Amino acid sequence: MAEPGDLGLPGEGVRGEGSHLWRGPTWQVPPEASTHLCGCGTAGGTGDTIFALSSAPGRCGVAVIRASGPGSAGLLRSLTGTPGPPPPRVLALRRIRDPRSAETLDRGLVVWFPGPNSFTGEDCAELHVHGGPAVVSGVLQALGRLPGLRPAEPGEFTRRAFAHGKLDLTAAEGLRDLIAAETEAQRRQALRQMEGDLGRLYQRWSHALTQALAHLEAYIDFSEDDNVEEEVLARVAVTVRALLQEIRGHLRDGRRGELLRGGVRAVIAGPPNVGKSSLLNLLCRRPAAIVSPSAGTTRDVLEVALDIGGYPLLLSDTAGLRRAADPVEREGVRRARERLCQADLVLAVLDATSVSPTPAALGAALAALEPPPGTPCVLVLNKADLLGGPRGATPAQGPPATLLSCKTGEGLEALLELLAQQLAQLCGDPLSGWPSLTQSRHSRHLGACAAALGRFGDLGDSGDLALAAEQLRLARRELGRITGHVGAEDVLDIIFRDFCVGK
Amino acid sequence: MRARRRRRRPLAAGPARCCSRTGSAPSVPPRVPGEGGESYRGAPRGERGGAVLSRGGRGSLWTMLRVSLCHYPGEMSCNPSFGGIGKGHLMREVDALDGLCGRLCDRSGVHYKVLNRCKGPAVWGLRAQIDRGLYKENMQKEILNTPLLTVREASVEDLLLKEPEPGRPGKCQVAGVVLGDGSTVRAGSVILTTGTFLRGMIYIGLEMHPAGRLGDQPAIGLAHTLEKLGFAVGRLKTGTPPRLAKDTIDFGGLEERAADNPPVPFSFLSEAVWIKPEDQLSCYLTRTNLKAQQIIRNNLHLNNHIRETTRGPRYCPSLESKVLRFPDREHQVWLEPEGLDSNIIYPQGMSMTLPPELQEQVVKSIPGLEKAKMLQPGYGVQYDFLDPRQLTTSLESRLVQRLFFAGQINGTTGYEEAAAQGVIAGINACLRVQGRPPFTVSRTEGYVGVLIDDLTTLGTTEPYRMFTSRVEFRMALRPDNADARLTHRGFEEAGCVSQQRYEQAVKMRAALEDGIATLKSIQFSISKWSQLLPGVPISNSRRSPVSAFEVLQYQDANMEILAKAIPEPLGKLAQWRELAERLKIEAAYEWCVVNQQQEMEEVRRDEALQLPDDLDYFAIDASLSAEVREKLAANRPQTIGAVSRIPGITPAAIVNLLRFVKTNHQKTEKLKAVPQSGKYFPGKMYSDKATSQRQISAEFSEEEARFVKTPL
């Protein structure tokens, strides 16, 4: 098993609900949120602090994460838990923690470059950490959650250096190549991601949003003219609502990197006395849970951390789901339901002897457990050893199912394989592609886009269309950071194509 | 002192203007450009760049305005209105810089209306129907009473040129103008505001006339000079509707649009407009039907203007293009009064270039106009414009030093767009003579800045019109706060703003700042607020306590309600009506504006990274692709900000360009300072291309030479 530091395996306390990177403070209450962006300018007030992975993406020995801006000293304090930054330009060995969970992400070297004697001329910080994807992704996400910090745009460090007069560049002939490499690599990477389904999805959103914006702009600039009717507004509202739903859904789906780091929360659920606790014991290869032949033995939620095929799994055993008379058991069932609702993956355990292996019967049995909608489920048909006669293959339709005997261990291999498949789907393959930097950029921009679309909806009745349009413009701008810039002319093109407007 | 200044370096302005617009012989008493003044009666869409000259000149005392304006009685004039969505913003900004049009419209309007009233103050469109006669009268009074301003009426035939000042781009510099009678007027800088005069052609049906049909040959001479100088020339088209006799129209069944009561003035200096609210005239709305469409479609073969390939705007100025592009619909026609005593109605929305008898048929097919008498047919105009990418953001030409352009010659359409350019060109023409740094407005500061940056960076392929959707920072650049954005700068940097206006703006700014501070200092819990203001539902998601300023942003809140609940200290704020309204607007937009600060900062920073005017993008030794070089050379961006708005320029190219500029600028500048060739100096005006700067200076008095030689 890899060392915790390398894989970023979770401690027990990692799973805060708010750990979605995109769910920054800007999500809910706009007026207050602004203070986070604008109120952090301590040194020189040059705006926000940017960060990025500065070394090459992919597995490597040491990865360098760079930050620039007035919040650099603060981020060193937050991540290393020390009262002040280390002495300028001296490497210091520090334990790097997630400021929210206090979890140690890595032990690495940090360097503090107070401005103006830094690459960009601003206060800068560098973190030299182990080069595993999980560590890097963990540190980047922790940075992203700090107020006033955001991932850098392509070439932004260089631009800041120019803005502060640091790059007169007389000397560094090689720097051009360096810069070109930086921007080109990022562009290629973005392009690679933009090909395929994801790219098409983003493009479609982009078109829909641009069109909605253009129609709203037409209503503002030309409603005195022909053919820009009030109904334009209603159509725009419908488009925006649909778009918002899609983007929010996408954001919920796009948590693979987070799952990889934080662990997939799997919950064992099922009727009483089908062998849920036995399954837990079998998987963790020790008698962690009390098992007994009587129904309702398990009352509390029991949790163990496992490594299945290299993926982190947080497995919870819960009380059997039934209408219980005993108040203690009732509380156990309530906790089981609560845990079930937070699950990333459900292991539904059924008694193989009491359910017929047809898709309909299995589906009905699973539905009776009321798993949260949309959460992937694995059906475990336990007590296979008690099945007489020929074993029908598990049905190909419906949720994946497997026969198992906790008693004999029969079917364990198949179950592990099935779990590994599910985990791979949930977490993605960390070795193919580089999930963290661009994905967190995407999440962040999509999140900001969704936030703006949400505010558009809230503004619907307030009457100030200019404010409402501004939210669409913001949303468009955020999406544009992923899909490319859309200028005023593109908007005007749509206006003039769709409406007959004169002088 | 005064005399001396007057004598030297007069600012020649708006040469050829009138010739340009109507092309008629200069016939009328000296009329002067005021924004829109002349345009107003001038030929189709008059523009008045020189307009604002008067203002620009005013601060700097030593301006002489030479304009040729002809007065051509009404028939060929453009729309009888000022302002509109986006355009009203420009007028407020022109007014904030002490341009004339806003104040004059407040004294000449017959129907004031704020468009977009229900869509938020950031996009309100101040607009008015203007009495042509009154506007002209007021403009003339204003111009002729401007101290130190000499007005001459003549056509401008040619430019006086001399060798360029070293160290700046340009193959020569302008030294004055040659008038139609062969006399010359010397000038420290010259502004051309030619409207549609440059090789203008009027189209009605299959007929074409040169725009200056009453014999304006000299205007052509100026066009030749500009072409010879190497200006890239493009061609645009526009049109104007027929005019109708009011007493032959049946308004009975038509939808009436009444004016606002009370009317909202354009100018920050106007307490109210001149006309009593109840005396205002109405506009009426009617619509075309399929019959009109049929007539137009059946007669396309008789319609040269529409079939021509010259670029018109994507929006539809002519009824023909509306019918062709959006068939089988009704199209709006607004019947607008031309003045209190005028019998002319301007049917906005039905520009046409059909032969007159067919236009008459179209008119009569429209409800309410069945018996309408057509006083004058509509017609189309095609004219030359100069690629505005050949200008700096101060509107000075890169080819000819001290020569400025404003208005339709830069590819824009509309009085307000022209007035805005006129102010900037006027100010900079003066500053240039004084040897002071140019006055430019950033995209983050005003619609004027967006307009000029769009033109000088991207150029245009259709008549450029202002829209609010072009403006990135629409939440911050509002009609209500144009004075706060521009008046101080105009006073301090350009000297174009009167003391009175400046003091008023200072007072208002202080009052706003105090008011906001007071409102922010009043903080209560949400429950206390709901006791105080039961009618204002405050969201529970807010953090308590909530300030009065935050409460003010709610739709149902205003200063009056707040002052009733908290008379001390809010009572006196609410009494000052204008202040109370502005505080409410500030509150409504505050968080949007604050959220945009960072982005505005980025734009400003990029705009501050100046590129030398004289870079030869094909020659420089920087790692730039041929495609990028071509784009840069064609667009001639002045700042890195402008570079980033050119489509197809990569971030890597931007960085490489900056790097090159930072290391090589000095050297490049010296190289480019060498005069290029003498072929652009017409011999009669300037024969010896070897004349040195020193010799040139010797032609002037010493004081003059001081101005000539002072580098920026």
Side-chain angles (χ1 to χ4, degrees):
Chain A
M1 186 163 166
E3 284 177 27
D6 283 343
L7 248 185
L9 264 183
E12 290 284 332
V14 227
R15 52 192 133 80
E17 278 76 24
S19 58
H20 311 204
L21 189 64
W22 58 89
R23 198 163 277 186
T26 48
W27 183 260
Q28 281 114 351
V29 197
E32 284 81 2
S34 63
T35 57
H36 284 279
L37 268 181
C38 309
C40 61
T42 50
T46 49
D48 47 3
T49 301
I50 54 171
F51 63 90
L53 179 68
S54 292
S55 51
R59 276 187 193 279
C60 52
V62 175
V64 179
I65 293 166
R66 190 162 62 174
S68 173
S72 298
L75 80 86
L76 283 179
R77 275 199 302 275
S78 301
L79 261 63
T80 61
T82 50
R89 297 177 294 282
V90 175
L91 282 170
L93 181 63
R94 293 280 188 274
R95 190 173 288 276
I96 295 168
R97 299 169 194 273
D98 184 331
R100 176 182 300 215
S101 62
E103 173 203 3
T104 299
L105 299 167
D106 195 11
R107 267 163 65 86
L109 298 169
V110 301
V111 203
W112 161 238
F113 300 95
N117 300 319
S118 68
F119 173 65
T120 60
E122 302 176 322
D123 287 353
C124 285
E126 281 182 15
L127 304 166
H128 299 223
V129 298
H130 291 104
V135 174
V136 172
S137 144
V139 174
L140 290 176
Q141 298 201 24
L143 288 172
R145 281 196 297 265
L146 292 175
L149 265 69
R150 64 172 172 82
E153 298 295 327
E156 195 171 5
F157 283 97
T158 315
R159 273 166 49 112
R160 289 195 175 197
F162 269 117
H164 291 91
K166 294 301 285 189
L167 283 189
D168 77 355
L169 298 189
T170 39
E173 189 47 43
L175 195 54
R176 176 185 57 202
D177 299 329
L178 202 63
I179 292 162
E182 181 185 353
T183 49
E184 280 303 296
Q186 286 175 351
R187 190 184 59 78
R188 269 201 301 274
Q189 181 173 338
L191 267 183
R192 197 186 68 199
Q193 293 204 345
M194 294 306 298
E195 288 160 8
D197 293 345
L198 191 61
R200 276 192 290 277
L201 180 69
Y202 288 171
Q203 287 298 347
R204 184 166 61 74
W205 288 346
S206 173
H207 289 155
L209 185 51
T210 306
Q211 176 116 353
L213 176 62
H215 285 197
L216 186 60
E217 295 285 1
Y219 188 71
I220 289 173
D221 270 341
F222 300 101
S223 64
E224 310 292 327
D225 287 290
D226 280 355
N227 300 317
V228 187
E229 312 283 351
E230 298 267 341
E231 70 207 33
V232 165
L233 285 188
R235 281 207 306 274
V236 167
V238 169
T239 308
V240 169
R241 251 199 318 275
L243 201 56
L244 176 58
Q245 265 178 12
E246 271 197 63
I247 293 179
R248 283 191 176 154
H250 179 78
L251 283 172
R252 276 194 293 271
D253 290 346
R255 295 169 50 217
R256 297 193 300 193
E258 186 196 346
L259 289 177
L260 182 61
R261 190 177 71 80
V264 173
R265 289 169 296 189
V267 174
I268 303 178
N273 212 20
V274 292
K276 296 184 293 298
S277 300
S278 301
L279 175 61
L280 179 94
N281 288 344
L282 178 68
L283 285 174
C284 70
R285 296 185 197 123
R286 63 188 167 93
I290 302 167
V291 291
S292 84
S294 55
T297 306
T298 306
R299 302 289 175 88
D300 229 339
V301 174
L302 185 71
E303 191 173 279
V304 294
L306 298 172
D307 176 353
I308 306 275
Y311 295 101
L313 187 72
L314 282 173
L315 189 62
S316 305
D317 181 26
T318 62
L321 298 170
R322 66 168 173 184
R323 288 187 182 284
D326 174 47
V328 179
E329 190 183 351
R330 226 174 19 239
E331 174 61 17
V333 172
R334 193 193 64 75
R335 290 184 184 191
R337 290 238 173 261
E338 188 180 84
R339 187 55 66 102
L340 192 58
C341 288
Q342 300 165 356
D344 300 315
L345 174 67
V346 175
L347 296 183
V349 184
L350 299 172
D351 186 336
T353 61
S354 64
V355 61
S356 72
T358 64
L362 290 176
L366 180 62
L369 300 177
E370 299 172 19
T375 307
C377 290
V378 172
L379 267 177
V380 180
L381 303 173
N382 191 22
K383 307 191 185 178
D385 51 304
L386 299 181
L387 283 178
R391 315 253 164 100
T394 51
Q397 291 163 335
T402 184
L403 276 170
L404 175 75
S405 167
C406 288
K407 196 165 173 184
T408 65
E410 175 191 351
L412 179 60
E413 281 305 308
L415 173 63
L416 288 176
E417 199 175 306
L418 189 57
L419 281 179
Q421 273 172 23
Q422 294 290 319
L423 290 170
Q425 250 176 38
L426 281 167
C427 301
D429 181 351
L431 299 182
S432 73
W434 178 252
S436 56
L437 177 64
T438 50
Q439 270 194 4
S440 64
R441 264 169 50 77
H442 286 193
S443 310
R444 190 179 176 98
H445 292 313
L446 284 178
C449 174
L453 294 178
R455 288 194 298 270
F456 173 85
D458 298 341
L459 279 164
D461 305 326
S462 79
D464 193 320
L465 278 183
L467 276 177
E470 191 59 31
Q471 299 313 316
L472 290 196
R473 286 172 163 216
L474 272 175
R476 185 68 203 72
R477 212 171 293 145
E478 293 294 342
L479 201 53
R481 309 238 170 180
I482 307 175
T483 61
H485 173 69
V486 170
E489 276 302 305
D490 304 283
V491 170
L492 286 173
D493 273 338
I494 296 181
I495 293 178
F496 296 134
R497 189 192 67 213
D498 291 357
F499 301 103
C500 177
V501 286
K503 59 173 186 169
Chain B
M1 173 85 169
R2 188 172 273 193
R4 171 173 63 83
R5 278 172 166 169
R6 231 220 227 191
R7 200 163 43 84
R8 36 218 48 83
R9 322 291 81 223
L11 252 189
R17 153 110 328 109
C18 52
C19 356
S20 65
R21 37 202 30 241
T22 64
S24 73
S27 58
V28 185
R31 213 167 91 329
V32 173
E35 27 301 340
E38 56 294 290
S39 56
Y40 209 38
R41 348 210 139 154
R45 347 213 114 179
E47 315 287 283
R48 68 253 83 206
V52 200
L53 251 209
S54 54
R55 297 296 92 183
R58 193 167 64 173
S60 33
L61 296 178
W62 33 311
T63 303
M64 176 153 85
L65 186 57
R66 308 254 168 201
V67 197
S68 57
L69 275 183
C70 58
H71 161 159
Y72 196 69
E75 294 102 288
M76 299 178 78
S77 47
C78 209
N79 53 308
S81 61
F82 256 94
I85 300 163
K87 291 165 172 276
H89 292 69
L90 285 174
M91 284 181 73
R92 276 284 166 109
E93 292 179 4
V94 167
D95 183 67
L97 290 170
D98 229 348
L100 287 176
C101 62
R103 268 184 296 147
L104 294 181
C105 285
D106 289 341
R107 285 183 293 184
S108 319
V110 295
H111 169 112
Y112 294 86
K113 180 111 196 149
V114 177
L115 307 181
N116 269 352
R117 191 47 120 163
C118 59
K119 294 177 196 164
V123 293
W124 283 349
L126 278 67
R127 187 178 185 279
Q129 299 298 139
I130 307 291
D131 184 307
R132 290 181 192 280
L134 265 179
Y135 188 85
K136 168 178 155 191
E137 197 182 311
N138 287 327
M139 179 61 86
Q140 289 190 1
K141 234 184 282 170
E142 184 79 29
I143 294 285
L144 294 177
N145 289 325
T146 300
L148 298 176
L149 179 69
T150 304
V151 180
R152 268 186 69 177
E153 183 189 2
S155 65
V156 170
E157 199 175 336
D158 214 335
L159 299 175
L160 289 173
L161 299 170
K162 61 183 180 186
E163 283 214 347
E165 248 175 281
R168 289 170 164 277
K171 50 182 66 158
C172 55
Q173 71 175 304
V174 74
V177 296
V178 182
L179 301 182
D181 61 5
S183 64
T184 61
V185 179
R186 299 220 149 236
S189 41
V190 171
I191 308 176
L192 289 185
T193 61
T194 58
T196 58
F197 116 96
L198 282 181
R199 267 187 284 253
M201 291 293 280
I202 287 177
Y203 288 73
I204 307 182
L206 295 177
E207 287 180 44
M208 300 178 341
H209 317 276
R213 62 185 159 190
L214 295 185
D216 242 356
Q217 291 313 310
I220 307 285
L222 187 56
H224 282 315
T225 304
L226 293 173
E227 197 167 49
K228 258 191 319 197
L229 283 166
F231 284 98
V233 177
R235 199 131 173 102
L236 292 172
K237 66 180 180 183
T238 182
T240 192
R243 305 301 141 85
L244 309 175
K246 188 179 190 173
D247 53 13
T248 60
I249 296 175
D250 177 11
F251 293 100
L254 304 183
E255 188 181 315
E256 176 176 359
R257 163 150 335 172
D260 284 344
N261 187 359
V264 178
F266 287 102
S267 173
F268 288 99
L269 295 184
S270 305
E271 289 276 315
V273 301
W274 74 289
I275 196 170
K276 281 195 217 143
E278 61 274 19
D279 289 348
Q280 296 182 89
L281 304 178
S282 288
C283 294
Y284 293 84
L285 177 63
T286 182
R287 291 188 166 82
T288 65
N289 50 35
L290 294 184
K291 210 164 144 195
Q293 174 172 326
Q294 204 53 50
I295 299 169
I296 289 168
R297 286 206 160 165
N298 289 347
N299 294 287
L300 283 180
H301 61 287
L302 297 176
N303 207 333
N304 260 343
H305 189 64
I306 292 303
R307 288 181 299 162
E308 290 266 337
T309 51
T310 304
R311 284 298 298 266
R314 285 167 298 175
Y315 51 90
C316 314
S318 73
L319 188 55
E320 290 97 328
S321 63
K322 290 184 201 194
V323 160
L324 293 178
R325 288 175 46 194
F326 296 91
D328 303 327
R329 300 186 190 183
E330 295 185 332
H331 296 282
Q332 289 182 343
V333 176
W334 285 101
L335 302 178
E336 302 178 344
E338 295 224 341
L340 283 180
D341 305 321
S342 168
N343 188 40
I344 302 174
I345 289 290
Y346 180 96
Q348 197 226 96
M350 55 184 303
S351 283
M352 285 187 285
T353 55
L354 283 169
E357 54 287 3
L358 290 169
Q359 290 191 26
E360 205 144 12
Q361 285 182 31
V362 172
V363 167
K364 290 187 191 306
S365 74
I366 295 171
L369 306 182
E370 293 87 350
K371 295 181 180 152
K373 185 174 166 219
M374 194 168 80
L375 298 174
Q376 173 203 304
Y379 57 89
V381 185
Q382 302 194 2
Y383 56 96
D384 282 357
F385 76 107
L386 305 184
D387 185 342
R389 292 178 296 180
Q390 302 166 101
L391 304 177
T392 68
T393 48
S394 65
L395 297 180
E396 181 176 355
S397 157
R398 293 174 197 278
L399 284 176
V400 180
Q401 298 171 355
R402 295 169 181 267
L403 182 62
F404 295 76
F405 296 111
Q408 273 168 310
I409 193 171
N410 290 336
T412 62
T413 176
Y415 302 148
E416 305 77 6
E417 286 81 354
Q421 294 169 66
V423 179
I424 299 299
I427 288 171
N428 282 302
C430 286
L431 292 175
R432 184 75 164 84
V433 176
Q434 292 170 302
R436 289 165 60 194
F439 178 86
T440 59
V441 177
S442 152
R443 293 184 80 89
T444 64
E445 280 178 310
Y447 278 49
V448 179
V450 173
L451 169 79
I452 292 176
D453 182 61
D454 279 352
L455 289 174
T456 57
T457 303
L458 303 175
T460 186
T461 52
E462 65 183 342
Y464 181 103
R465 173 183 156 182
M466 198 69 228
F467 303 117
T468 71
S469 51
R470 296 188 191 272
V471 180
E472 295 90 341
F473 305 109
R474 188 163 65 185
M475 300 291 96
L477 310 184
R478 305 183 308 263
D480 64 276
N481 66 7
D483 58 341
R485 291 182 274 123
L486 295 172
T487 299
H488 293 72
R489 284 197 59 209
F491 183 81
E492 284 153 18
E493 297 170 42
C496 64
V497 169
S498 72
Q499 186 74 26
Q500 179 210 354
R501 182 185 291 273
Y502 175 69
E503 280 165 11
Q504 183 179 318
V506 167
K507 192 175 151 205
M508 176 54 82
R509 178 149 90 175
L512 275 171
E513 280 167 8
D514 286 356
I516 291 172
T518 304
L519 287 164
K520 282 187 169 168
S521 70
I522 298 174
Q523 304 203 341
F524 296 123
S525 68
I526 293 173
S527 57
K528 170 90 187 204
W529 277 118
S530 41
Q531 281 169 23
L532 284 170
L533 307 170
V536 180
I538 294 172
S539 155
N540 282 322
S541 63
R542 281 193 174 277
R543 273 200 306 255
S544 215
V546 175
S547 77
F549 194 60
E550 289 169 272
V551 170
L552 191 56
Q553 69 179 249
Y554 280 86
Q555 200 188 357
D556 302 315
N558 57 44
M559 284 303 294
E560 207 178 322
I561 293 178
L562 276 173
K564 252 181 222 153
I566 313 165
E568 185 52 43
L570 298 185
K572 62 177 191 301
L573 292 181
Q575 272 165 19
W576 185 354
R577 198 174 49 86
E578 193 196 345
L579 177 67
E581 278 169 16
R582 289 180 69 161
L583 283 171
K584 165 77 185 164
I585 298 174
E586 291 288 340
Y589 289 109
E590 196 216 13
W591 76 263
C592 254
V593 171
V594 167
N595 271 321
Q596 282 193 337
Q597 283 304 325
Q598 185 203 332
E599 208 181 328
M600 291 177 97
E601 194 48 51
E602 275 169 25
V603 170
R604 267 187 222 116
R605 224 169 25 218
D606 286 348
E607 282 180 344
L609 292 168
Q610 295 271 341
L611 295 173
D613 283 327
D614 52 3
L615 271 189
D616 179 351
Y617 288 104
F618 293 108
I620 60 177
D621 176 25
S623 170
L624 300 169
S625 72
E627 190 197 352
V628 165
R629 284 172 196 266
E630 259 168 44
K631 285 186 170 155
L632 291 170
N635 290 281
R636 297 229 59 99
Q638 268 186 290
T639 66
I640 283 297
V643 172
S644 67
R645 282 187 287 280
I646 300 173
I649 303 281
T650 60
I654 296 175
V655 168
N656 285 330
L657 179 61
L658 252 177
R659 192 173 76 91
F660 172 81
V661 168
K662 293 236 171 188
T663 52
N664 296 302
H665 178 207
Q666 305 295 29
K667 200 171 56 190
T668 323
E669 196 172 47
K670 277 182 203 128
L671 278 177
K672 301 292 290 185
V674 178
Q676 296 188 330
S677 145
K679 70 180 170 178
Y680 295 101
F681 307 110
K684 60 173 175 169
M685 285 171 244
Y686 198 79
S687 54
D688 186 2
K689 67 177 178 182
T691 307
S692 70
Q693 179 64 34
R694 194 167 170 189
Q695 285 171 302
I696 295 169
S697 303
E699 293 175 5
F700 303 134
S701 70
E702 275 182 40
E703 295 100 315
E704 285 169 335
R706 197 183 71 222
F707 290 124
V708 171
K709 288 195 292 192
T710 309
L712 281 189

